[in-house]
Amino acid sequence: MAGRGGCRRGREQLELERLGEAARAGSCPPSPPLSACSRQAWSRDNPGFEPEEEGAAAAAAGPVLEMDVEWGSPAAGASSSLGSGAAGQGGGGGRRLPPGRGGAEVPSRPQVPPDGTAPHRAAWAKRLARRLRGLWWTRLMEESNTSRERYLKSVLRELVTYIIFLVVLCVLTYGTVSSSMYYYTRVMSQLFLETPVSKMEKTDFKTLSTMDDFWKFTEGPLLDGLYWEMWYNNKTVAENKSFIYYENLLLGVPRLRQLKVRNGSCAIPEDLKDEIKDCYDVYSVANEDTAPFGLGNGTAWTYTNEKDLNGSTHWGLIATYSGAGYYQDLSRTREMTALQIASLKKNLWLDRGTRAAFIDFSVYNANINLFCVVRLLVEFPATGGLVTSWQFRPVRLIHYISTFDFFLAACEMAFCLFVLYYMVEEILEIHIHRLHYFRSLWNCLDILIIVLSVVAIGISIYRTSTVDMLLKKLLEDQNSFPNFEPLAYWQMQFNNVAAVTVFFVWIKLFKFVNFNRTMSQLSTTMSRCVKDVIGFAIMFFIIFLAYAQLAYLVFGTQIDDFSTFQDCIFTQFRIILGDFNFTEVEEANRILGPIYFTTFVFFMFFILLNMFLAIINDTYSEVKSDMAQQKAEMELSDLIRKGYNKAMIKLKLKKTTVDDISESLRQGGGKLNFDELRQDLKGKGHTDAEIEAIFTKYDQDGDQELTEHEHQQMRDDLEKEREDLDLDRSSLPRPLSSRSFPRSLDDSEEDEDEDSGHSSRRRGSSSSGVSYEEFQVLMRRVDRMEHSIGSIVSKIDAVIVKLEVMERAKLKRRDMLGRLLDGVTEDERLGRDNEIHREQMERLVREELERWESDDTASQMSHRLGTPLGLNGQPRSRSSRPSSSQSDGIDGGGGNGGSNVHV
């Protein structure tokens, strides 16, 4: 093995020398690599070379674009036409293979015109396509072998774009909401909900209890609140117009509407049919009464369906009501409205069959450009009495009036563009990853945000187009009822969708914050403890729902907080948080009340809640300890800091990395350990990754200290680096080696970025590039080293597993022998026959001796054949060993590089 390794190294050295002489003589231009990985790496050191993947894509897309690329120095005059080849040509295009490297020459492609218009046009088109593709390039589209720094750059670009999208969304959502909406709702609710029905009574709309109270409200506070025809000095405000609070115009006329159920909709027991003649069931669409009643003429006494009324269903406190019914449109004057209400009251418009009465009207305030759509609902349950509820919806239906409105219009256009941008991005990611895309929760969140955004845009377009038509109809007939209820409904839905969208957009920031080690602890903790939390949640809700059932059955008829099963659940959550009324529970049931409350607090608060906190704390401790042991990687903050430092250096506001390291070496004296260098460079703004890379590069003996020799080596490299920087700053051309290709400043900067913090470039000839042949030889050596190291590591793992198995078997036999010896001793002490124990011990010792003999024989055979034993004592097949080209020694240790490990 050693002889073969020495011969191989000799051949490689001769090959390098021959290639170096050929390059110096200018006999052949360097050829680009053939593999995809090496071509990409080679293209970084040779700016004229394009990767194979891009060439294949260009060939598949259409006509082949050719460019004249100058290889080597200008004096050599050697040039080759490098084009994008088909897949069958290996991406070689029209280049010529050097002698001895590929056999026959490949026919070259036709030369481009001498004016150079075609190459420039092709290069411009290629750059434009690359820029357009880069607009939607995300980290999910990066290759798996992408460097950490390039990955973080993609994340940073995504983060900046996403923050702009978040700002635009917040401006849109918060720009349509203001504190004026709250005060608008407040004054309107105070006027109609808190005004007493008369000066002698304290009953208001919230405390209505009978039908008589309802008519008192309509004749008193409702009329007074709707019609403001006089100033406080008894002067008329305006003819045929009402301004509530002198500021809010009453649009059109108000409307009264009721829903009834028919008589006989419920079954009467046979024993009580003589006593009870009429029966009205609870409200449902099936039980709804559609027959005329009372006077029998007019919309107040005849039924109108929901479509004709352009109504919609309403979710009340007791039931869900349709948009149909019997309705009466009131007048624009107070006197006419009072007469209409008196007529309805006199002819018994409300009766036993009435289940709901609606009062609808809308007002507009031009000062703040807000509509307020008001609905007062009085429900008449089958039990008798009244239940009141209300809705005050301030909405902005007229847009694009002020300067700020036009700014919001620009933000709306930007929001639509962002939604389109993210739709294309997600489509591309789904196209690349297929169904694997949906395995990530963050990807599903992206789809949800896009769907909600599209829904919000659709609602906004519908609302804007509908309000113009409705206002036009209102202006044509001001004595009609303006039905703004559907618009208010869709505005509320738009607000809900926008609120949920903003919530999820803010939550998505964790996707980018998780790249910080500290911030990622939260997501890692939640992901690790999810199984324990699910198991705990099952146990928690079993007990929780059992207590909810108990409370509903025991206290449901006595306490409002336990009147429904849903209320019981919410009330128990409030008890856990400390919000409860123990007096009501005790008064409802003096025995079960205290028992329920005491046991619920004990089990839910003192036991289960603390178990939940213990699960979170334990998982967080594990995550924190694991992260402390992980190797420090380049973070997003490090990338931002590095970019800031580079900008400061270019502006000559900060020293370069070379100067900082040189200064640290001068201050260190004879020796400089890692902690001192880290503390010094950390204070100067360098990242941990940069410092660790620099120290590892020059600490050859691995003693965590830089000796004088290592100092000198670092100084030499720093001097070379300083010379390169001086050449860059003075815009002088770099010295080119006779066997190297020219490198631009942009390429050198890209290499510095991809080195993830290496302040010094490669030593030797790295400042001017290396030839492809040298690169290939080094690549083969690195591949052999990786295979050899992997083989050794796998064998060491197998040995460790074998030792663990042997140790467990040894402990088991020791325990068995101990029990047998204890049994023999006990038999001797008690004078019993211990023949059975002796036989067991002899059999055990005999088996142990046979196992030792078999192990010795197998070990001798393995040494003689040079084959390691597997975990089960079976020899491993020779095919599992690396080949001779892969098992040579590391850095010339060919004899021991592929050696076996024996136990």
Side-chain angles (χ1 to χ4, degrees):
M1 294 294 291
R4 290 197 300 268
C7 291
R8 186 175 295 106
R9 290 194 303 275
R11 289 196 300 270
E12 291 173 357
Q13 186 66 28
L14 291 175
E15 185 181 2
L16 285 175
E17 292 175 0
R18 180 181 62 80
L19 294 172
E21 293 173 359
R24 285 191 294 271
S27 59
C28 64
S31 59
L34 299 179
S35 64
C37 180
S38 56
R39 286 171 67 90
Q40 291 175 358
W42 187 248
S43 64
R44 295 197 300 268
D45 291 337
N46 301 276
F49 181 81
E50 292 297 331
E52 181 179 8
E53 287 78 359
E54 296 181 2
V64 178
L65 303 178
E66 295 188 3
M67 297 177 60
D68 285 339
V69 182
E70 192 174 61
W71 301 84
S73 61
S79 64
S80 64
S81 176
L82 180 64
S84 299
Q89 295 174 339
R95 67 176 184 271
R96 296 178 180 270
L97 296 177
R101 294 290 296 170
E105 295 181 352
V106 179
S108 60
R109 293 186 179 163
Q111 299 293 327
V112 296
D115 56 357
T117 57
H120 287 293
R121 190 179 300 111
W124 179 84
K126 192 171 187 179
R127 285 196 300 269
L128 179 60
R130 190 176 299 172
R131 295 281 180 86
L132 292 176
R133 185 183 63 178
L135 287 176
W136 286 278
W137 198 257
T138 63
R139 63 189 181 283
L140 288 181
M141 303 179 192
E142 295 283 357
E143 298 179 358
S144 59
N145 58 352
T146 304
S147 65
R148 175 72 175 177
E149 185 165 354
R150 183 177 177 183
Y151 181 77
L152 290 178
K153 284 182 179 179
S154 299
V155 173
L156 182 60
R157 187 187 62 81
E158 284 187 72
L159 177 59
V160 173
T161 307
Y162 189 76
I163 289 177
I164 298 175
F165 169 70
L166 177 60
V167 171
V168 172
L169 181 59
C170 290
V171 170
L172 279 178
T173 52
Y174 295 127
T176 57
V177 180
S178 65
S179 58
S180 300
M181 291 185 172
Y182 165 72
Y183 292 113
Y184 199 10
T185 305
R186 180 180 174 183
V187 296
M188 295 297 291
S189 61
Q190 287 177 347
L191 178 62
F192 291 99
L193 301 182
E194 300 178 6
T195 303
V197 296
S198 66
K199 296 181 179 179
M200 305 299 296
E201 300 181 34
K202 295 183 179 180
T203 304
D204 55 17
F205 182 80
K206 295 180 179 179
T207 57
L208 298 181
S209 58
T210 63
M211 288 186 180
D212 185 46
D213 292 338
F214 173 80
W215 289 117
K216 288 180 180 179
F217 170 77
T218 55
E219 294 172 339
L222 181 63
L223 288 179
D224 296 338
L226 288 176
Y227 302 99
W228 293 56
E229 299 177 350
M230 305 292 290
W231 280 96
Y232 53 85
N233 60 355
N234 294 328
K235 288 188 177 181
T236 305
V237 175
E239 185 179 357
N240 249 357
K241 291 183 181 179
S242 175
F243 285 88
I244 300 174
Y245 283 114
Y246 310 111
E247 301 290 348
N248 306 281
L249 174 64
L250 178 64
L251 300 175
V253 297
R255 171 176 287 180
L256 293 180
R257 179 171 63 94
Q258 72 157 325
L259 288 170
K260 300 168 58 99
V261 294
R262 62 180 179 271
N263 186 14
S265 55
C266 54
I268 302 175
E270 293 291 339
D271 298 337
L272 299 177
K273 281 187 176 181
D274 296 335
E275 302 293 334
I276 301 175
K277 303 297 183 181
D278 301 326
C279 180
Y280 299 89
D281 200 358
V282 296
Y283 175 81
S284 67
V285 177
N287 296 332
E288 194 171 311
D289 189 5
T290 59
F293 74 102
L295 301 180
N297 57 353
T299 58
W301 311 99
T302 57
Y303 182 83
T304 306
N305 58 38
E306 182 174 328
K307 182 178 180 180
D308 295 337
L309 282 176
N310 193 23
S312 58
T313 58
H314 181 86
W315 187 14
L317 298 179
I318 298 177
T320 300
Y321 304 97
S322 68
Y326 307 86
Y327 73 94
Q328 174 67 56
D329 287 341
L330 303 180
S331 176
R332 293 181 60 84
T333 62
R334 179 187 177 93
E335 292 76 11
M336 289 297 299
T337 301
L339 291 176
Q340 290 173 328
I341 292 176
S343 176
L344 295 176
K345 180 181 179 181
K346 179 180 178 181
N347 293 283
L348 199 65
W349 190 61
L350 300 180
D351 56 15
R352 290 183 58 189
T354 303
R355 286 293 173 261
F358 298 85
I359 304 174
D360 296 313
F361 59 93
S362 302
V363 295
Y364 173 71
N365 191 310
N367 301 331
I368 54 179
N369 188 26
L370 285 178
F371 290 82
C372 186
V373 183
V374 182
R375 168 165 286 182
L376 305 178
L377 173 61
V378 180
E379 298 179 76
F380 300 87
T383 59
L386 301 180
V387 178
T388 59
S389 59
W390 52 88
Q391 285 183 350
F392 294 86
R393 297 176 177 175
V395 292
R396 191 185 305 274
L397 299 178
I398 301 178
H399 299 278
Y400 317 127
I401 296 179
S402 63
T403 305
F404 183 72
D405 291 339
F406 287 104
F407 171 72
L408 290 180
C411 292
E412 289 175 354
M413 295 176 61
F415 177 75
C416 294
L417 292 177
F418 269 112
V419 172
L420 181 62
Y421 169 83
Y422 282 117
M423 287 177 65
V424 175
E425 178 181 298
E426 302 307 318
I427 290 173
L428 291 176
E429 291 180 355
I430 294 174
H431 176 72
I432 293 175
H433 296 279
R434 304 295 179 180
L435 294 178
H436 294 278
Y437 171 87
F438 298 97
R439 293 184 179 180
S440 173
L441 181 62
W442 294 116
N443 295 338
C444 297
L445 183 61
D446 293 339
I447 298 296
L448 179 60
I449 291 174
I450 292 176
V451 171
L452 291 175
S453 301
V454 172
V455 170
I457 293 173
I459 293 176
S460 179
I461 294 174
Y462 169 79
R463 178 194 59 190
T464 304
S465 59
T466 306
V467 68
D468 295 335
M469 180 179 61
L470 188 60
L471 289 176
K472 182 179 179 180
K473 181 180 179 182
L474 175 63
L475 293 175
E476 293 176 354
D477 184 9
Q478 297 185 5
N479 292 321
S480 63
F481 169 72
N483 190 6
F484 285 95
E485 180 62 28
L487 282 178
Y489 169 79
W490 285 113
Q491 178 64 36
M492 292 297 105
Q493 300 308 314
F494 174 81
N495 294 341
N496 296 335
V497 172
V500 175
T501 304
V502 172
F503 171 78
F504 284 126
V505 167
W506 277 101
I507 291 298
K508 189 186 170 183
L509 278 179
F510 279 103
K511 179 179 181 179
F512 303 99
V513 174
N514 283 341
F515 288 97
N516 183 278
R517 289 173 61 89
T518 303
M519 298 300 179
S520 63
Q521 292 181 3
L522 173 62
S523 60
T524 307
T525 301
M526 296 303 297
S527 60
R528 284 195 184 184
C529 69
V530 62
K531 293 183 179 179
D532 294 334
V533 170
I534 291 176
F536 167 81
I538 294 175
M539 176 179 61
F540 175 86
F541 282 106
I542 288 175
I543 301 177
F544 188 85
L545 294 177
Y547 273 103
Q549 291 279 4
L550 173 64
Y552 175 63
L553 296 175
V554 176
F555 313 116
T557 60
Q558 305 290 327
I559 305 175
D560 179 60
D561 292 339
F562 297 94
S563 58
T564 63
F565 184 71
Q566 295 86 345
D567 291 337
C568 291
I569 293 176
F570 295 132
T571 302
Q572 289 188 161
F573 278 118
R574 289 168 50 194
I575 293 176
I576 294 176
L577 297 177
D579 180 18
F580 58 88
N581 190 341
F582 177 73
T583 304
E584 290 184 349
V585 175
E586 186 180 21
E587 290 176 354
N589 195 313
R590 292 193 297 175
I591 297 176
L592 292 179
I595 294 175
Y596 159 80
F597 181 81
T598 305
T599 55
F600 178 80
V601 171
F602 177 77
F603 284 107
M604 304 302 297
F605 185 79
F606 291 104
I607 296 180
L608 294 180
L609 187 60
N610 286 282
M611 286 178 61
F612 174 74
L613 296 177
I615 292 173
I616 300 296
N617 289 333
D618 292 344
T619 308
Y620 179 76
S621 300
E622 294 176 1
V623 170
K624 195 171 183 180
S625 61
D626 292 345
M627 287 190 171
Q629 298 174 1
Q630 291 179 359
K631 182 180 179 181
E633 290 185 340
M634 189 177 188
E635 298 182 358
L636 200 58
S637 58
D638 297 332
L639 179 64
I640 298 174
R641 190 183 300 112
K642 182 179 179 181
Y644 170 76
N645 292 334
K646 290 177 65 175
M648 296 296 289
I649 291 173
K650 287 184 179 180
L651 295 174
K652 297 183 179 180
L653 299 177
K654 187 178 180 180
K655 293 182 179 179
T656 63
T657 308
V658 177
D659 297 330
D660 290 338
I661 298 174
S662 301
E663 185 178 351
S664 300
L665 290 176
R666 286 194 299 268
Q667 294 177 358
K671 285 191 175 183
L672 182 67
N673 58 29
F674 177 74
D675 294 333
E676 293 175 355
L677 181 64
R678 180 180 181 277
Q679 184 177 1
D680 190 11
L681 295 182
K682 191 77 172 177
K684 295 177 181 178
H686 299 283
T687 63
D688 289 332
E690 292 176 343
I691 301 169
E692 185 176 354
I694 294 169
F695 199 90
T696 305
K697 181 177 181 180
Y698 295 100
D699 185 19
Q700 299 178 356
D701 52 5
D703 59 352
Q704 293 294 312
E705 287 188 357
L706 296 180
T707 61
E708 185 63 30
H709 175 69
E710 294 167 349
H711 275 195
Q712 186 61 40
Q713 190 176 3
M714 183 182 289
R715 291 191 189 96
D716 296 339
D717 290 344
L718 291 176
E719 289 300 326
K720 295 179 181 179
E721 183 73 15
R722 185 179 287 106
E723 293 175 0
D724 293 339
L725 291 176
D726 292 339
L727 290 175
D728 292 341
R729 291 174 180 173
S730 59
S731 300
L732 293 177
R734 293 188 176 186
L736 298 177
S737 173
S738 59
R739 59 177 186 178
S740 303
F741 301 120
R743 296 178 54 180
S744 64
L745 180 60
D746 295 336
D747 295 332
S748 63
E749 290 179 355
E750 290 178 1
D751 285 346
E752 288 179 7
D753 292 341
E754 293 178 358
D755 286 342
S756 300
H758 287 276
S759 62
S760 298
R761 294 193 185 97
R762 295 182 294 258
R763 291 167 286 180
S765 62
S766 62
S767 61
S768 59
V770 296
S771 66
Y772 163 66
E773 287 75 13
E774 293 175 337
F775 179 78
Q776 285 294 95
V777 172
L778 294 176
M779 283 291 294
R780 287 197 296 269
R781 287 185 177 180
V782 172
D783 291 340
R784 286 197 296 270
M785 289 173 60
E786 290 179 351
H787 285 294
S788 300
I789 293 174
S791 176
I792 294 172
V793 169
S794 63
K795 293 172 183 176
I796 292 175
D797 291 339
V799 171
I800 292 174
V801 173
K802 177 68 174 179
L803 291 175
E804 291 177 353
V805 173
M806 294 173 61
E807 184 67 22
R808 287 195 295 269
K810 185 189 297 183
L811 293 176
K812 184 176 181 181
R813 290 192 299 272
R814 182 182 300 173
D815 183 57
M816 186 179 297
L817 285 174
R819 289 199 300 269
L820 289 175
L821 291 175
D822 291 341
V824 172
T825 305
E826 184 68 18
D827 292 341
E828 291 179 352
R829 187 176 63 83
L830 298 177
R832 295 183 299 188
D833 186 13
N834 55 3
E835 187 65 26
I836 298 176
H837 289 93
R838 292 183 184 277
E839 291 178 357
Q840 292 178 353
M841 187 177 297
E842 290 177 359
R843 185 172 63 255
L844 184 62
V845 171
R846 191 179 302 108
E847 292 176 355
E848 188 71 16
L849 292 175
E850 291 177 356
R851 190 185 63 81
W852 287 350
E853 290 177 358
S854 62
D855 288 346
D856 290 340
T857 303
S859 177
Q860 292 175 4
M861 290 294 294
S862 64
H863 279 289
R864 192 175 301 119
L865 296 176
T867 304
L869 290 177
L871 296 179
N872 299 324
Q874 299 296 330
R876 295 186 180 179
S877 62
R878 291 186 178 271
S879 61
S880 64
R881 299 180 58 191
S883 62
S884 59
S885 63
Q886 298 174 350
S887 60
D888 291 340
I890 302 171
D891 292 333
N896 298 327
S899 61
N900 301 319
V901 180
H902 303 281
V903 179

